[in-house]
Amino acid sequence: MPVRLGQVDYLNCLPVYYPLEKRLVPFGVPIEIVRGVPTFLNRLFTEGRLDATPLSSIEYARRPNETIILPGLSVSADGRVESIMLFSRRPPLELEGCTVALTGSSATSVALVRILFAYHYQVEASFTVRPPDLEAMLREAEAALLIGDDALVAATRVREQGLPLWVIDLGAAWKEFTGEIMVYALWTVRREFAVNHPEETTALVQTLAAAKAEGTRRVGELIREARRTTGLPEEVLKDYFGLIRHDFDEKYRRGLLRFYDYAYKLGLIEERVNTLHIWGETVG
């Protein structure tokens, strides 16, 4: 049976999945890829309908005993990210008592917004979940959160048209607040699958590592593919692929644990996370 592997259907995962889709690297294990937005993949993974997936980082903290992190992979940014964006009619410090519309496509970014409002901006707002349509969201709210390709496209349009909106990059806001890298997603495997299929899990790790390495060598191809699917300008895409990181060394882990600390203080996760269970390091 193939490993059921999730794929976030945004450009931020293209550097890892493009080499897989084009068969540019050998597969150490048969793989069945399932595409979707982060919250959809989170749900499939939790329900046991995926064996491995890029999981919203906040979701790992909600079930760390059931989930193992695959080493060397994440979706992260060290500051500006351009695809986690708050669009607002007024500066963040002036959003006290206002309504903020949140996309239903995201889990980590929704947690990040709440953390930044509570501790960085120290503003109390009300939050509502809406489909990722900027104009519709701003008809009901003073500010709106978009992520992924939706955020990239909307930010490009706002800037090109000179629309009267504040565009706040939440990766940059997190960096300003903490000085840390922000980890948005982790490649994870269900603990039950990893324990029962250790050889397949190790082969999956090796396949994904090879795909990531191949993707970093093919940035020009990634930009052409991204232009084809999104229509975004080349300079926007070149900038974006220069911002997104897929590593997971000690700096990334420190930033992730800092994020978990604030999530715990705000009541977004039930237990404090002090240990990360990583395949081949702490488990496996």
Side-chain angles (χ1 to χ4, degrees):
M1 293 290 290
V3 176
R4 298 169 297 174
L5 174 67
Q7 175 181 351
V8 174
D9 206 9
Y10 293 145
L11 296 182
N12 58 19
C13 282
L14 190 63
V16 175
Y17 285 90
Y18 179 81
L20 296 179
E21 293 174 341
K22 300 297 182 182
R23 296 278 174 168
L24 300 174
V25 295
F27 282 33
V29 61
I31 294 173
E32 174 190 345
I33 292 179
V34 179
R35 301 172 68 133
V37 299
T39 48
F40 174 70
L41 298 180
N42 294 346
R43 185 172 70 251
L44 293 186
F45 185 77
T46 301
E47 294 172 352
R49 294 159 63 190
L50 288 176
D51 304 310
T53 193
L55 186 73
S56 296
S57 58
I58 192 69
E59 291 299 321
Y60 171 81
R62 289 172 175 153
R63 46 188 59 82
N65 295 325
E66 304 166 23
T67 310
I68 297 172
I69 299 169
L70 299 181
L73 276 171
S74 72
V75 177
S76 305
D78 189 6
R80 190 167 63 91
V81 63
E82 287 295 319
S83 57
I84 314 292
M85 307 293 272
L86 185 72
F87 300 85
S88 179
R89 299 189 188 281
R90 59 183 74 183
L93 294 175
E94 296 179 14
L95 288 171
E96 180 73 32
C98 294
T99 299
V100 178
L102 306 174
T103 174
S105 305
S106 172
T108 294
S109 302
V110 166
L112 179 59
V113 159
R114 291 178 179 270
I115 289 168
L116 290 172
F117 269 64
Y119 298 110
H120 183 39
Y121 301 124
Q122 298 183 21
V123 164
E124 187 171 338
S126 59
F127 299 96
T128 183
V129 177
R130 292 291 181 267
D133 180 322
L134 182 59
E135 291 182 0
M137 295 166 93
L138 290 177
R139 281 197 293 269
E140 300 183 34
E142 282 296 306
L145 170 72
L146 291 177
I147 72 162
D149 299 0
D150 296 322
L152 275 168
V153 171
T156 301
R157 181 168 61 86
V158 167
R159 289 162 179 161
E160 288 179 347
Q161 297 179 8
L163 300 180
L165 293 173
W166 290 77
V167 182
I168 298 99
D169 187 312
L170 296 188
W174 171 257
K175 182 72 173 183
E176 178 184 336
F177 175 46
T178 66
E180 301 284 2
I181 289 171
M182 181 63 204
V183 178
Y184 299 98
L186 301 160
W187 267 263
T188 59
V189 62
R190 289 177 59 83
R191 179 179 289 274
E192 181 182 14
F193 178 87
V195 169
N196 291 329
H197 305 281
E199 293 182 1
E200 289 87 344
T201 300
T202 296
L204 177 64
V205 169
Q206 294 168 345
T207 299
L208 291 172
K212 183 179 84 167
E214 189 66 25
T216 62
R217 292 193 287 267
R218 294 178 178 265
V219 176
E221 291 180 40
L222 298 180
I223 291 172
R224 288 192 293 273
E225 178 67 11
R227 286 199 69 188
R228 184 186 67 81
T229 57
T230 68
L232 286 166
E234 182 176 349
E235 61 270 19
V236 170
L237 294 168
K238 185 176 181 180
D239 176 59
Y240 183 60
F241 286 123
L243 297 174
I244 291 295
R245 300 284 184 269
H246 296 97
D247 301 318
F248 194 55
D249 60 22
E250 288 303 319
K251 293 183 296 183
Y252 293 76
R253 299 176 192 191
R254 186 181 69 230
L256 179 62
L257 291 173
R258 185 81 174 274
F259 174 64
Y260 289 158
D261 280 344
Y262 282 111
Y264 175 72
K265 291 175 185 175
L266 198 57
L268 302 178
I269 56 177
E270 294 182 358
E271 297 182 9
R272 189 184 295 273
V273 177
N274 295 314
T275 302
L276 302 173
H277 302 295
I278 301 172
W279 182 254
E281 297 180 19
T282 58
V283 294

